[in-house]
Amino acid sequence: MTDTITIRRPDDWHVHLRDGDMLARVAPYSARQFARAIVMPNLKPPVTTVVAASAYRERIRAAAGSGFEPLMTAYLTDSIDPDELARGHAEGVWVAAKLYPAGATTNSDSGVTDIANIRPALQRMQDIGMVLCVHGEVTGEEVDVFDREAVFIDRILAPLVRDYPDLRIVLEHITTRDAAQFVAAAPATVAATITPQHMMLGRNALFAGGLRPHHYCLPVLKREEHRAAVRAAATSGSAKFFLGTDSAPHARADKESDCGCAGVFNAPFALEAYLQMFDEDGAIDRFEAFASLNGPAFYGLPPNEARITLARRPTGVPPEVDGLVPFLAGGMLDWALA
Ligand code: DOR
Ligand code: ZN
């Protein structure tokens, strides 16, 4: 039995670090585990300009301390200026741009109402090699909330991949077999991030013994067969799948509420949770690729040189961390970050 594992320092290819007081509270947890992170731009107001993105990057650096590099994303709107995207990319501020279908999730009101509105932006991103990160859910009452990812793939993503054959696209936080199969079969320009909660929990976890707001995130947890397919994709060894926690902290009162916010705060023990699942599935030898190699390779960045070690040691997850409820609060994990 493997009792320690040493791998290149991982990166988090999808995280919400928020701003202000919340940023100061949560950034150190990401920085403790990861060297770099793709930082989501869904602040209020959203990060749509190079000036706003560089200022936000400085605030993150200040909150996270040295040794952590935030990789910034632009928030795509119906009126986003392709020149602004290109300038931010050329200046090394923006690594990627994020497509939020308007109304799909937290702070997505300014998102894209129709893909046709961002065609010039997508064309420019393809030309300059800027990655597109996608929240892959359609909106609208006529589509069942559990079907929104699969419908998005059919209606939006498949045509996008066809129309922009050289655009690198990351389907974020996949939750369905449909998504896992689509990405696996797609050209090498298409990849996906996978969260620990979507690998570990099916939708029953939302109702286990009562309503469980800290398991609520978007895309919402799916039925068991989908969870299993997503987990199999993560541990498959395919270079198309990599680590993206989607850690999305909200104040406890905003989660435990009449209309609770979507988001799982998993940053404090993300690596331990992922590794536990790779271990359970006999895939420890594929953990480094998922956590530390596939993401940089897709983004065209070098893997980190530093190494980290995790040891097999029972680790308790506290019920609360800095006033926030972490993923697996009160539970036990088999691994500890040395
Ligand atoms: O659960 C989620 N929370 N999903 C998202 O897409 C956004 C995120 C947030 O910002 O809270
Ligand atoms: Zn997210």
Side-chain angles (χ1 to χ4, degrees):
M1 192 155 75
T2 315
D3 283 322
T4 66
I5 169 174
T6 297
I7 59 170
R8 285 181 188 262
R9 193 167 178 79
D11 305 300
D12 185 350
W13 298 95
H14 183 127
V15 70
H16 300 266
L17 294 177
R18 312 303 193 202
D19 210 347
D21 168 62
M22 186 66 98
L23 169 63
R25 279 152 81 187
V26 304
Y29 293 104
S30 291
R32 191 177 79 87
Q33 302 213 322
F34 302 107
R36 296 169 292 196
I38 288 278
V39 180
M40 289 298 123
N42 62 333
L43 303 181
K44 277 183 184 169
V47 181
T48 54
T49 65
V50 184
V51 167
S54 350
Y56 183 33
R57 184 168 64 175
E58 286 317 306
R59 297 196 295 280
I60 296 168
R61 285 179 175 151
S66 61
F68 180 76
E69 182 57 9
L71 306 173
M72 308 307 289
T73 57
Y75 183 114
L76 295 176
T77 65
D78 284 342
S79 56
I80 194 82
D81 177 3
D83 291 339
E84 183 76 359
L85 289 177
R87 190 167 66 83
H89 187 254
E91 290 177 7
V93 177
W94 279 326
V95 169
K98 177 70 185 268
L99 166 59
Y100 285 108
T105 187
T106 311
N107 296 342
S108 63
D109 308 349
S110 315
V112 175
T113 61
D114 185 337
I115 285 291
N117 295 330
I118 58 164
R119 291 213 173 263
L122 297 176
Q123 183 62 50
R124 183 69 73 85
M125 288 170 63
Q126 173 170 263
D127 293 344
I128 63 179
M130 186 173 183
V131 171
L132 175 69
C133 298
V134 176
H135 183 107
E137 289 191 289
V138 292
T139 58
E141 273 311 303
E142 78 284 3
V143 183
D144 189 282
V145 67
F146 292 100
D147 296 334
R148 287 180 182 177
E149 184 174 274
V151 173
F152 181 91
I153 290 168
D154 283 349
R155 282 192 201 161
I156 311 287
L157 186 59
L160 216 55
V161 171
R162 185 192 63 218
D163 294 350
Y164 301 91
D166 295 324
L167 179 64
R168 275 174 295 158
I169 302 174
V170 183
L171 183 57
E172 303 287 351
H173 41 55
I174 61 166
T175 65
T176 56
R177 170 187 288 144
D178 312 66
Q181 284 180 348
F182 178 84
V183 170
T189 48
V190 181
T193 54
I194 299 181
T195 78
Q197 61 268 20
H198 291 113
M199 285 176 71
M200 195 179 286
L201 305 177
R203 64 191 191 180
N204 282 359
L206 288 165
F207 310 106
L211 194 56
R212 305 295 293 271
H214 298 287
H215 290 160
Y216 174 55
C217 63
L218 289 171
V220 72
L221 299 174
K222 300 298 192 298
R223 59 164 73 237
E224 173 59 19
E225 68 198 67
H226 292 297
R227 183 205 61 77
V230 166
R231 181 151 161 173
T235 58
S236 68
S238 162
K240 292 179 154 247
F241 300 101
F242 42 86
L243 187 160
T245 63
D246 198 16
S247 184
H250 292 277
R252 182 192 270 270
D254 294 334
K255 295 284 298 172
E256 300 170 5
S257 149
D258 177 42
C259 186
C261 294
V264 170
F265 176 48
N266 59 31
F269 296 92
L271 272 184
E272 295 88 337
Y274 280 117
L275 177 56
Q276 171 149 337
M277 292 185 277
F278 275 73
D279 185 16
E280 286 168 0
D281 295 356
I284 283 199
D285 57 322
R286 299 174 186 161
F287 184 58
E288 183 177 37
F290 177 77
S292 315
L293 303 176
N294 297 348
F298 185 83
Y299 273 85
L301 295 167
N304 298 306
E305 283 306 325
R307 302 307 200 262
I308 58 150
T309 297
L310 291 118
R312 189 185 296 281
R313 185 183 336 125
T315 307
V317 179
E320 199 175 85
V321 173
D322 268 304
L324 301 166
V325 180
F327 180 50
L328 304 174
M332 291 296 296
L333 287 162
D334 297 341
W335 293 84
L337 188 59

